Amino acid sequence: MPKTPRSGPEAEDAALVFMPSGLRGRFPRGTALLAAARSLGVDIDSVCGGRGICGRCQVTVGDGDFAKLGIRSAPEHLHPLAANEIRFDARKGLQPGTRLSCSARLAGDVVIDVPAASQIHRQIMRKRTDARAIQVDPVVRPLYVDFEGIAGPDPADNLRAALQAQWGVEAILSGAAAAQLTGVEENLTVALREEKTVTAIWPGFREHLVGLSVDIGSTTLAAQLSNLGSGAILAEAGMMNPQIRFGEDVMSRVSYIMMNPGSEIELGEVIRRAVRDLAGQCAEQAGLERRDIVEITVVGNPIMHHIFLGLDAVPLGQAPFPLAEDGPLTIPAADLDLDLNPGAQVHVLPCIAGHVGADTSAVILSEAPQLSDEVVLLVDIGTNAEIVLGNRDRLLACSSPTGPAFEGAQISSGQRAAAGAIERVRIDPISLAPRFKVIGSDLWSDAPGFASSVAGIGVTGICGSGVIEALAEMFLCGLITVDGLVDPGKAALTPRLVRDGKTYCYLLHAGPPEIRIIQLDIRNIQLAKAAAYAGARLLMNKMGIEKVGKIVLTGAFGSYMDPKYAMILGLIPDCPLEQVSAAGNAAGTGARIALLNREARLEIAAVARGVEKIETALDPDFQDQFVGAMAFPHKSHPFPNLGKIVALPVPGNTGPGGRRGRRGRNQA
Ligand code: FES
């Protein structure tokens, strides 16, 4: 028998059900919804402590029969709008059916919906459907207090008493926060860190706190300013790493420090100044000041990590690459001259090994292989490839020296991914003529209007993703062999293959400037891709597996690169292509997760400790893997999934255009 719906007026007390949690209870009429919610363990936000100021506690009341719950709910089953709500409505507006749960009181049975914006532990869904959601539960939160009835001689004692009385919090005041107290405040907002320390103070009411997450890459820095209450990104900024003037890659910067004693101070100041500038840019974009930032998380590779923190990075330049510090660190931002809020704290994620840094920890936090049943391969390609392999049972990590070829360095016509760089390449298998796309234009080079579309930017060079595609297409067309040699026999078939000293090169763009793929370019990409593949394969061998369940490419290059072409070259192991995805700046996302969720800091500290570190430089299997991985896609490893979607040339076949005798769909 279905229950007869109860109505409010007949009930002695009132039934209350919160949605979407489904938590329910019975309460005396007159009970405030927020108090009832807390007693049931429902997380409703509040900054002002129920004074009707912040509006963070808004809920909506159901209207109608809820047969499954056995309740008839109606707006009039709550007391009419309280004075606080009328004031708030006049100031900021309350939607019809919406109430401030701190002020609305029960008059009958109700079903109450708590929208995501009013939940303390709200979730942020990410664009990629397979990416873990971010739960907003930051380490620091705002609390509003007033001093009504509290008038002792010591302002700090008064604040502690107010926090105890109004929030039930036994707080201690940081020196920076205490220095901000004047003693004449009537009310103020504090930043409460880890539920115990007041780190910042503002006069009056302040609804939101903001924090910054920073990824210090050896080439670029990226920062995001987030609202610590909603988790929303308020501003983003990036810049080239100004340390580049001391050395193009991290190892050359370590060499610079070794050769110029004392220069580590300057390198550290340069990078901290860059972080400070990014904080200023983000704050300005959001209409704030740098002093409004109360928390910052930082990730970076081990050398960037050490230089940023003022630690000795020189030992990281040679085996066994010992870290001066590998655990997570929390230190005052003022100690690093970041010029944020005087009480702001910096949290730096843990490093994993001498070549596997806090940026890789952040990638793990973002992609969560430790929660996966299937084996996940994470590949972050820069001048090194940081590689993580594993699942919920076991995680392994290594770093493999790919060099700068994927960033366009060591490539004859190479350049960074910027306007004018060729980023996509196709070669007709019959005519062997190329067409391409450049960054800054949506048109292929053989499309009408291409010339005018690039009139302002030109075709200036080729970036890493363009080189990958050019080589893969050349390989598919038979212009280069599985061993990476330009096939001179093809010169008779196309004017694009032209002599270049003792060998041949492929003319991709007649110019100016002329853009060619020369034999040395191919060799440098072979070395880079073999390093990445050998690192991945080394970890697979350690784990005793022949295939992975899914591959995630991270970092800027990983996001630009087409996974199919990466697999044709054998940069990554064979895998169903639909199981290969690009995660963008996963290190930056991990830094943001650590900013927004305090549990995530504990999680990654524990996970990083448990990662098995594999040292590629010392492992003989790495060299063996490297040699076989020089071929396209590999000398001996089969690529059956790739063979289902691409007709791979048969080794030794020299048919015209490579079109005959390929390993077809069913042959690979
Ligand atoms: S708790 Fe601030 S308005 Fe209700």
Side-chain angles (χ1 to χ4, degrees), residues 59-267:
V59 296
T60 54
V61 55
D63 190 2
D65 286 331
F66 292 78
K68 277 191 186 163
L69 301 172
I71 285 179
R72 190 171 79 77
S73 172
E76 58 271 23
H77 291 187
L78 294 176
H79 282 238
L81 287 182
N84 274 347
E85 294 176 285
I86 293 169
R87 272 197 301 273
F88 184 86
D89 189 27
R91 208 161 44 87
K92 291 200 158 177
L94 265 179
Q95 294 298 319
T98 300
R99 302 291 299 265
L100 296 181
S101 62
C102 62
S103 306
R105 295 179 183 280
L106 282 174
D109 296 351
V110 282
V111 175
I112 296 292
D113 184 35
V114 183
S118 299
Q119 294 169 16
I120 292 179
H121 300 128
R122 74 201 65 171
Q123 283 203 335
I124 303 174
M125 305 313 288
R126 287 161 62 187
K127 281 186 196 146
R128 274 169 50 228
T129 48
D130 62 334
R132 79 190 295 192
I134 303 173
Q135 188 161 53
V136 181
D137 183 18
V139 73
V140 56
R141 66 182 176 118
L143 297 181
Y144 175 81
V145 291
D146 64 39
F147 294 97
E148 214 176 305
I150 301 172
D154 181 50
D157 285 346
N158 290 345
L159 177 54
R160 279 189 286 268
L163 283 165
Q164 172 67 51
Q166 292 158 31
W167 290 96
V169 169
E170 285 278 357
I172 53 175
L173 266 65
S174 70
Q180 294 170 46
L181 274 176
T182 63
V184 297
E185 300 94 346
E186 291 180 358
N187 50 49
L188 45 78
T189 305
V190 305
L192 185 72
R193 196 170 191 285
E194 290 187 326
E195 296 301 309
K196 63 175 187 286
T197 308
V198 174
T199 55
I201 290 172
W202 295 268
F205 173 69
R206 193 175 188 92
E207 186 175 351
H208 297 295
L209 302 183
V210 296
L212 193 75
S213 47
V214 183
D215 171 25
I216 304 177
S218 26
T219 307
T220 55
L221 281 79
Q224 293 182 315
L225 187 74
S226 295
N227 178 323
L228 295 178
S230 68
I233 297 173
L234 304 174
E236 297 181 85
M239 66 163 69
M240 296 297 288
N241 188 325
Q243 289 182 338
I244 279 178
R245 70 174 188 265
F246 301 101
E248 186 75 16
D249 56 55
V250 285
M251 279 306 169
S252 52
R253 286 174 220 168
V254 170
S255 302
Y256 182 90
I257 295 172
M258 288 171 71
M259 290 160 59
N260 299 277
S263 62
E264 68 276 10
I265 296 171
E266 188 183 0
L267 265 83

Side-chain angles (χ1 to χ4, degrees), residues 34 45-57 88 100-103:
L34 184 61
D45 206 356
S46 165
V47 173
C48 71
R51 293 172 179 79
I53 298 171
C54 69
R56 296 270 283 269
C57 64
F88 184 86
L100 296 181
S101 62
C102 62
S103 306

Side-chain angles (χ1 to χ4, degrees), residues 297-358:
T297 51
V298 175
V299 303
N301 63 54
I303 291 173
M304 289 300 100
H305 168 278
H306 275 43
I307 294 176
F308 173 74
L309 290 170
L311 300 170
D312 184 7
V314 170
L316 295 171
Q318 55 198 15
F321 315 106
L323 290 157
E325 180 66 62
D326 62 357
L329 291 173
T330 301
I331 46 180
D335 289 0
L336 297 170
D337 292 330
L338 296 183
D339 196 24
L340 308 177
N341 187 283
Q345 300 291 306
V346 184
H347 182 80
V348 183
L349 270 65
C351 287
I352 294 172
H355 272 323
V356 186

Side-chain angles (χ1 to χ4, degrees), residues 23 168 443 517 635:
L23 289 167
L443 297 178
I517 302 293
K635 197 73 176 168

Side-chain angles (χ1 to χ4, degrees), residues 545-564:
I545 58 172
E546 277 299 312
K547 57 184 182 188
V548 298
K550 117 179 174 180
I551 299 175
V552 182
L553 302 168
T554 67
F557 178 64
S559 302
Y560 282 122
M561 182 172 62
D562 185 327
K564 180 176 82 174

Side-chain angles (χ1 to χ4, degrees), residues 434-486:
R435 60 194 179 104
F436 54 79
K437 278 174 116 171
V438 301
I439 297 175
S441 169
D442 289 334
L443 297 178
W444 284 93
S445 59
D446 60 348
F450 172 75
S452 56
S453 78
V454 296
I457 51 179
V459 181
T460 52
I462 185 164
C463 66
S465 65
V467 178
I468 297 279
E469 295 195 7
L471 264 60
E473 287 279 319
M474 288 173 72
F475 171 60
L476 291 178
C477 290
L479 287 165
I480 52 180
T481 67
V482 291
D483 293 319
L485 296 172
V486 179

